[in-house]
Amino acid sequence: SAVISQKPSRDICQRGTSLTIQCQVDSQVTMMFWYRQQPGQSLTLIATANQGSEATYESGFVIDKFPISRPNLTFSTLTVSNMSPEDSSIYLCSVQRLGRNTEAFFGQGTRLTVV
Amino acid sequence: QKEVEQDPGPLSVPEGAIVSLNCTYSNSAFQYFMWYRQYSRKGPELLMYTYSSGNKEDGRFTAQVDKSSKYISLFIRDSQPSDSATYLCAMSVAAGRRALTFGSGTRLQVQP
């Protein structure tokens, strides 16, 4: 398994501001993913973050709203920009190990409330 | 139509019961199938991982995949109150995009 540290674990933010969420992994991983889990809903993929290249965004998500950094094989950040109450959700980072293409592990999540 | 359908529940059972959780899917390209358990205010935790069709057993948990019917199941034997959580099925294609497609999750409550 992989140990994933995600922070902050929760935050309450004012609308119009931005929040950067950090994801740190205890070992090198090829692919990191960012998901959103809205209340009572399943996980929706926001984007795939690959080291050394631009993140790949899913339909409905854009870089201006959710900029992602992936400076190395153990770390990534997701920024939620110009927040509105509709952005209130749990944000989760997920990793897949080198050589293990499909088995995914998750951080504990960041519970974001926008007021 | 969602790619993966999962009954949201809630499902309430007495302690010791056998629990059956299910997902159906529409994308025949899915090759890898997983079950995750998510406790309240926690990230999902991988429970079972299977490739293609067949059964896999791990302790009290058994995962079944029937690709011909596009149907997967998770069975929990001798259920315990500590099994109370939301169970998410997840799937992935063999090649290309490797992110997971999740079901909506089934909330399980095991009554002592």
Side-chain angles (χ1 to χ4, degrees):
Chain A
S1 64
V3 177
I4 304 165
S5 173
Q6 189 176 335
K7 57 183 180 182
S9 59
R10 63 177 60 211
D11 208 341
I12 300 174
C13 300
Q14 297 290 326
R15 68 176 66 203
T17 63
S18 298
L19 175 72
T20 296
I21 303 167
Q22 299 180 2
C23 183
Q24 178 74 53
V25 191
D26 67 338
S27 58
Q28 293 183 338
V29 292
T30 47
M31 304 182 79
M32 297 180 76
F33 304 93
W34 287 97
Y35 289 86
R36 181 172 72 183
Q37 187 176 28
Q38 294 180 306
Q41 303 296 315
S42 188
L43 283 73
T44 301
L45 181 67
I46 297 171
T48 302
N50 299 306
Q51 194 268 337
S53 63
E54 292 285 329
T56 304
Y57 288 83
E58 298 300 303
S59 176
F61 298 96
V62 295
I63 188 171
D64 290 346
K65 176 68 175 176
F66 297 101
I68 287 171
S69 77
R70 180 82 197 273
N72 56 53
L73 289 173
T74 64
F75 186 79
S76 178
T77 67
L78 169 76
T79 299
V80 186
S81 303
N82 188 25
M83 288 183 284
S84 66
E86 292 70 35
D87 294 320
S88 298
S89 187
I90 299 172
Y91 292 85
L92 294 147
C93 72
S94 174
V95 303
Q96 293 173 335
R97 280 191 175 278
L98 287 170
R100 300 290 296 274
N101 288 334
T102 306
E103 191 173 338
F105 303 94
F106 288 84
Q108 68 177 40
T110 296
R111 183 177 294 268
L112 170 63
T113 303
V114 183
V115 297
Chain B
Q1 181 188 4
K2 295 180 182 177
E3 268 192 299
V4 179
E5 298 277 359
Q6 185 175 7
D7 188 335
L11 178 63
S12 183
V13 302
E15 183 176 354
I18 297 174
V19 176
S20 173
L21 304 167
N22 311 293
C23 287
T24 59
Y25 62 95
S26 57
N27 187 352
S28 58
F30 286 136
Q31 296 282 346
Y32 300 88
F33 303 90
M34 286 135 279
W35 286 95
Y36 285 83
R37 178 175 61 195
Q38 187 175 24
Y39 291 114
S40 180
R41 301 180 183 276
K42 298 287 187 183
E45 169 195 11
L46 181 65
L47 265 183
M48 298 288 284
Y49 169 83
T50 54
Y51 170 70
S52 194
S53 287
N55 294 357
K56 185 174 183 178
E57 188 174 321
D58 184 2
R60 295 185 296 111
F61 299 91
T62 299
Q64 287 186 352
V65 175
D66 182 350
K67 289 191 68 182
S68 63
S69 302
K70 298 190 181 68
Y71 187 87
I72 69 171
S73 301
L74 177 71
F75 298 97
I76 307 174
R77 291 184 298 280
D78 187 24
S79 56
Q80 304 294 310
S82 59
D83 295 327
S84 299
T86 296
Y87 290 80
L88 298 152
C89 64
M91 310 177 187
S92 178
V93 299
R97 198 185 87 176
R98 296 166 180 170
L100 304 182
T101 301
F102 283 85
S104 57
T106 299
R107 190 155 57 91
L108 172 66
Q109 183 71 38
V110 181
Q111 305 290 343

